[in-house]
Amino acid sequence: MEQTVLSEVLQDNVEQLKQVFERNSDCIFQSIMIAGRFPAMITYFDNTCDTKELNRSVITPLHRMQQIRQVNMDDLRNVIDLSHMKTIQNLDEAVQNILSGNPVLLTDQVQGGLVFSLAQWEQRGIEDPMAENVIRGPREGFTESVGVNISMVRRRLKTSDFKTEECTIGTMTNTKVVVAYSDSLSHPTIREELKKRLQKIKIDKLIESGELEELIEDQPYSPFPTIIASERPDVITAAITEGRIAIFTDGTPFVLVVPSTMNSFFQSPEDFNQRLLIGSFIRFLRYAFYFISLLAPATYVALLSFHQEMIPTLLLLNIASSRESVPLPAVVEALLMEIMFEGLREAGVRLPKQIGAAISIVGALVIGQASISAGLVTAPMVVIVAITGIASFMVPHYAEGIAPRLLRFPLMIMAGTMGLLGLMLGTIAVVIHLCSLRSFGVPYLVPVRAKDLKDTVIRLPIWSLDERPSTAVPEEITRQAPHQKPE
Amino acid sequence: MGQKEQISGLQMALLMYTAILATAVLLIPSISASFAMQDMWISPLWTVFVGATLVFGMYRLHLKFPGENLIQYIPRIVGRVPGVVMTMGLILVQVLFTGVIVREYSDFVIGAYLNKTPDIMIMFVMIAVCAYCVYQGIEVMGRCAIFFVPIFIFLIFIVSVLLIPEFDVTNFMPVLGNGILPSMKGSFVIHEWISEFVLISFLFPFLGKKEKALKWGMISLGAVIFSMVIVNSVGLLLFGSIAARLNYPVMAASRYISYGQFVEHVESVVLTIWVTGTFLKITVFYYVSVISISHFLKLKNYRTLIFPVGLWIIVLAKWTGHSALDVSIGISTTLVVIAMVIFYLFPMLLVVIAEMRFRKPKEGAR
């Protein structure tokens, strides 16, 4: 694209700018007179910049300039009370800056223009992270501003080793995407691969990091996420110290982390904030309930349809008597209830807060109580569905937790047709799929080294975790000095 | 991302371990009991010689032809025409054995609890899952092995431990009462499984660390023989001389497990976990068959062969025999001979020829 150089004649520049911003009612062209003699023009979009600061530090000093024969760039820079400004030479730069919220000053008889970094949008303050709650740990979550988010991580990582590289994606949105990593720890090959994948993206809009995730991940046709999205600065900080790479996207509080393996989705920052034994126990519970959320309904269906002998006799009698009045076979009953539950859950997310409570009452009463007394489903099935529902919320990262929701249905059908054998073959297929997944080249399910198992189903004490997880492919594996167990 | 597929020594050892043991666990106790009686637990030990020579021979060939498998170097050892004949023989037997394993699996499942399900259905679902794994390649197979084999070993372990109250140690007596001959006879059939170690030749080229190849191969062999001794001992301790009359002694044994009126009737669970082992076994055989054929036909990508070979395996599985009885008679007679000749004597012959023809490791073999 040919670049139009800004001319020395103010009138020409202004006309060109006005042509670009034709029919933009919120674009402001403010004429001023420098030192009361030299015409100049400040252009910006209303409500995108700090006008108070603009008046105080730019316009007022310019007005008050005295005793000059002619204006030049150096004089202007000296007189203006701002730390962030830069000189630009061509029209495109000017347009781009104005669009980003930075006012541009063009002066008659001066080559080029001045840009002031005064962009300021209305934005949300720092609040609790909504999707990743912890009992003990920092309370702040990322916001929609990429600058603020990076500053939150930088506050925790006071080292020059922490690097941030910026690029823009989206021809219309020009979304700022920042790749942040530790220079000495993160693996150069993965960094290059990531940059290559980012450069390949040619789309018009990038609004949320979910779109970015789909465009750069290894296997998009998988129910399992291979990239972590977190809105917690402490999670991102920890990931960077392990040698992983974070991807910040402007306009969303969710920051991506690569490479991410299955295990890292089960780690909550809280595990290391809680006491050792409790943390380990909770970690173990998470894995156990993950299996429950995947397998519970299918196992129940298999036992009820094929392996009644495995159910203890008394329980079997109870189930049999409750099933007496139910016309549906177990597998249909399970599918029905699970779909109902999924519907309720989705409705619960979408409903306005005021009537959310109503839905939960309706859900509990109608699905739970009324359908049992109406003889549509059995009470044990409701218990199973409820347990499954709770279990899927145990995983700290929502994206990983919803994968079993999808896989439950084929497994239930397998269990309903071939019993435990079908269930097992279905599970094997899921495991094969997990084994075949990679996150930026790192195997997703099975770690390469046995040492990586120290921080998986249970977590060992901090002093025994002398090495960074090799699943993050760090350049330097040693994390801390050995033998730090308190005496 | 583009680089060559690799597995670790442990993954190779685990793949071979299940590739041998999955069906052996079920069938070996009753077959060896019928020859060796109370000495059946000694029988697996006699297979050490065949197993060790086979693994060592394959390792020697691997050193001479690094990065290649049996099918690739047969023609270079014996020449083109005899090579083609031997390769075709090997491939046919590999596919046949895959079929037999699938048949053993379906017979067992139908006999144990899905009595009314058509066997074609049971075979088809299993082959579909295995085909998916074969499609994903050797790396995924290796990782699946890491995931499943511990579960499988845990199964053997837990069944053995839970059965301890039922054990009768006097079943061991008299040790070697009739000399060593019966136990050697009992080991005859076990050689059928041990000779399947020839498949390790197809895994060696994928090893990341070449120097560990022999070590892990031998560890795998040792683990297999040790596990067979354990399984035979459990069968013997539990059933004594009637072990020979039961088709699947381990399965029958698991019916004995009963604790606190809650852990009862676990045979379905045992079967379910056993399926993971069988799955790996079929996958390894299936994979080896497929890559053998693709090397034989000099195809670039083996994946196109997965579907036709899968169908072929099912056909062979059906064709193996009219009934489960037919198959089990075949396993302890004809198939032993076929396995010994094709899986053991042929490869050992190759080793001898190769040792004589290529004294020094050939440089830049391609």
Side-chain angles (χ1 to χ4, degrees), chain B residues 21-273:
Chain B
L21 209 65
T23 49
V25 168
L26 283 187
L27 297 166
I28 276 188
S30 77
I31 294 177
S32 49
S34 59
F35 292 98
M37 305 304 281
Q38 78 280 9
D39 288 336
M40 64 195 265
W41 62 278
I42 304 176
S43 297
L45 298 175
W46 297 118
T47 60
V48 168
F49 175 74
V50 168
T53 47
L54 189 56
V55 172
F56 188 70
M58 289 302 108
Y59 175 68
R60 292 292 301 179
L61 288 180
H62 170 61
L63 288 186
K64 286 199 195 306
F65 306 95
E68 294 188 14
N69 60 38
L70 200 52
I71 296 291
Q72 284 165 300
Y73 49 62
I74 283 179
R76 300 222 266 117
I77 295 173
V78 297
R80 176 165 292 188
V81 177
V84 167
V85 175
M86 278 180 91
T87 319
M88 281 174 66
L90 192 64
I91 290 173
L92 283 177
V93 175
Q94 279 166 354
V95 182
L96 174 68
F97 266 69
T98 320
V100 172
I101 298 159
V102 173
R103 179 60 181 266
E104 285 165 12
Y105 153 77
S106 81
D107 280 346
F108 176 64
V109 167
I110 291 170
Y113 76 119
L114 287 180
N115 307 338
K116 290 176 189 161
T117 312
D119 55 355
I120 201 95
M121 175 72 187
I122 290 171
M123 291 173 185
F124 177 77
V125 176
M126 179 54 118
I127 286 289
V129 173
C130 294
Y132 179 43
C133 195
V134 171
Y135 181 83
Q136 300 289 357
I138 186 83
E139 271 191 4
V140 172
M141 285 162 60
R143 287 187 222 129
C144 281
I146 292 260
F147 194 87
F148 285 125
V149 177
I151 302 175
F152 183 73
I153 295 174
F154 180 72
L155 162 80
I156 300 179
F157 174 76
I158 201 79
V159 168
S160 311
V161 168
L162 289 180
L163 284 171
I164 286 176
E166 316 280 342
F167 283 172
D168 180 4
V169 188
T170 54
N171 284 342
F172 270 125
M173 303 299 171
V175 177
L176 297 177
N178 305 324
I180 58 167
L181 213 56
S183 64
M184 290 183 87
K185 275 185 191 161
S187 76
F188 182 61
V189 182
I190 303 177
H191 281 108
E192 181 179 343
W193 275 272
I194 292 296
S195 65
E196 285 167 4
F197 256 108
V198 73
L199 300 193
I200 207 168
S201 151
F202 293 86
L203 301 186
F204 276 150
F206 294 108
L207 268 189
K209 289 177 185 155
K210 306 284 179 201
E211 63 277 6
K212 297 274 181 69
L214 185 63
K215 181 187 142 198
W216 281 110
M218 288 301 177
I219 288 177
S220 184
L221 176 70
V224 164
I225 291 175
F226 177 72
S227 306
M228 284 178 174
V229 171
I230 294 285
V231 169
N232 273 1
S233 305
V234 170
L236 181 64
L237 283 164
L238 206 60
F239 297 111
S241 53
I242 58 162
R245 304 219 190 101
L246 298 164
N247 272 336
Y248 311 112
V250 173
M251 203 61 193
S254 66
R255 295 210 166 98
Y256 276 72
I257 296 172
S258 169
Y259 280 88
Q261 300 201 320
F262 190 76
V263 186
E264 283 180 317
H265 301 288
V266 291
E267 62 266 21
S268 309
V269 177
V270 171
L271 172 131
T272 307
I273 299 174

Side-chain angles (χ1 to χ4, degrees), chain A residues 340-357:
Chain A
M340 277 313 269
F341 180 76
E342 291 301 324
L344 265 181
R345 186 142 83 164
E346 187 59 18
V349 176
R350 303 290 151 229
L351 274 166
K353 279 210 175 72
Q354 292 85 341
I355 45 174

Side-chain angles (χ1 to χ4, degrees), chain A residues 80 133 142 195 201 215 234 236 246 281-282 307 376 453:
Chain A
I80 292 167
N133 282 325
F142 286 132
K195 276 177 208 161
I201 301 174
L215 288 164
D234 49 339
I236 300 300
F281 172 64
I282 290 174
H307 312 276
L376 285 175
L453 295 174

Side-chain angles (χ1 to χ4, degrees), chain A residues 145-177:
Chain A
S145 156
V146 66
V148 173
N149 293 350
I150 288 175
S151 75
M152 283 159 82
V153 174
R154 197 173 277 289
R155 209 179 75 209
R156 292 174 166 79
L157 274 175
K158 295 180 194 72
T159 162
S160 60
D161 201 34
F162 173 53
K163 306 285 182 201
T164 52
E165 287 181 48
E166 194 182 311
C167 62
T168 35
I169 291 177
T171 48
M172 286 183 79
T173 57
N174 275 315
T175 312
K176 202 171 168 193
V177 173

Side-chain angles (χ1 to χ4, degrees), chain A residues 246-265:
Chain A
I247 307 160
F248 293 78
T249 312
D250 200 19
T252 173
F254 288 95
V255 176
L256 306 179
V257 179
V258 296
S260 303
T261 52
M262 181 111 184
N263 179 41
S264 43
F265 286 90

Side-chain angles (χ1 to χ4, degrees), chain A residues 159-308:
Chain A
T159 162
S160 60
D161 201 34
F162 173 53
K163 306 285 182 201
T164 52
E165 287 181 48
E166 194 182 311
C167 62
T168 35
I169 291 177
T171 48
M172 286 183 79
T173 57
N174 275 315
T175 312
K176 202 171 168 193
V177 173
V178 178
V179 177
Y181 54 88
S182 155
D183 197 25
S184 62
L185 288 178
S186 64
H187 203 281
T189 333
I190 294 182
R191 240 152 54 198
E192 287 311 309
E193 179 66 28
L194 174 62
K195 276 177 208 161
K196 214 168 72 195
R197 291 187 195 183
L198 285 176
Q199 276 161 9
K200 268 204 306 214
I201 301 174
K202 300 268 182 287
I203 50 170
D204 60 340
K205 64 161 178 54
L206 179 66
I207 294 178
E208 218 277 337
S209 52
E211 299 169 327
L212 191 63
E213 186 182 334
E214 196 167 316
L215 288 164
I216 60 172
E217 68 191 337
D218 293 50
Q219 271 115 335
Y221 294 112
S222 169
F224 295 94
T226 51
I227 296 175
I228 278 187
S230 176
E231 50 172 344
R232 296 189 62 89
D234 49 339
V235 170
I236 300 300
T237 311
I240 289 173
T241 61
E242 284 176 350
R244 297 181 209 269
I245 304 166
I247 307 160
F248 293 78
T249 312
D250 200 19
T252 173
F254 288 95
V255 176
L256 306 179
V257 179
V258 296
S260 303
T261 52
M262 181 111 184
N263 179 41
S264 43
F265 286 90
F266 286 86
Q267 294 170 339
S268 159
E270 206 173 10
D271 297 344
F272 285 90
N273 301 343
Q274 297 289 2
R275 297 194 59 75
L276 169 62
L277 293 176
I278 307 296
S280 282
F281 172 64
I282 290 174
R283 185 72 74 74
F284 173 76
L285 268 190
R286 254 178 236 146
Y287 278 88
F289 272 73
Y290 194 67
F291 278 103
I292 288 178
S293 81
L294 183 65
L295 299 175
T299 313
Y300 181 72
V301 167
L303 290 186
L304 222 55
S305 329
F306 289 89
H307 312 276
Q308 296 88 350

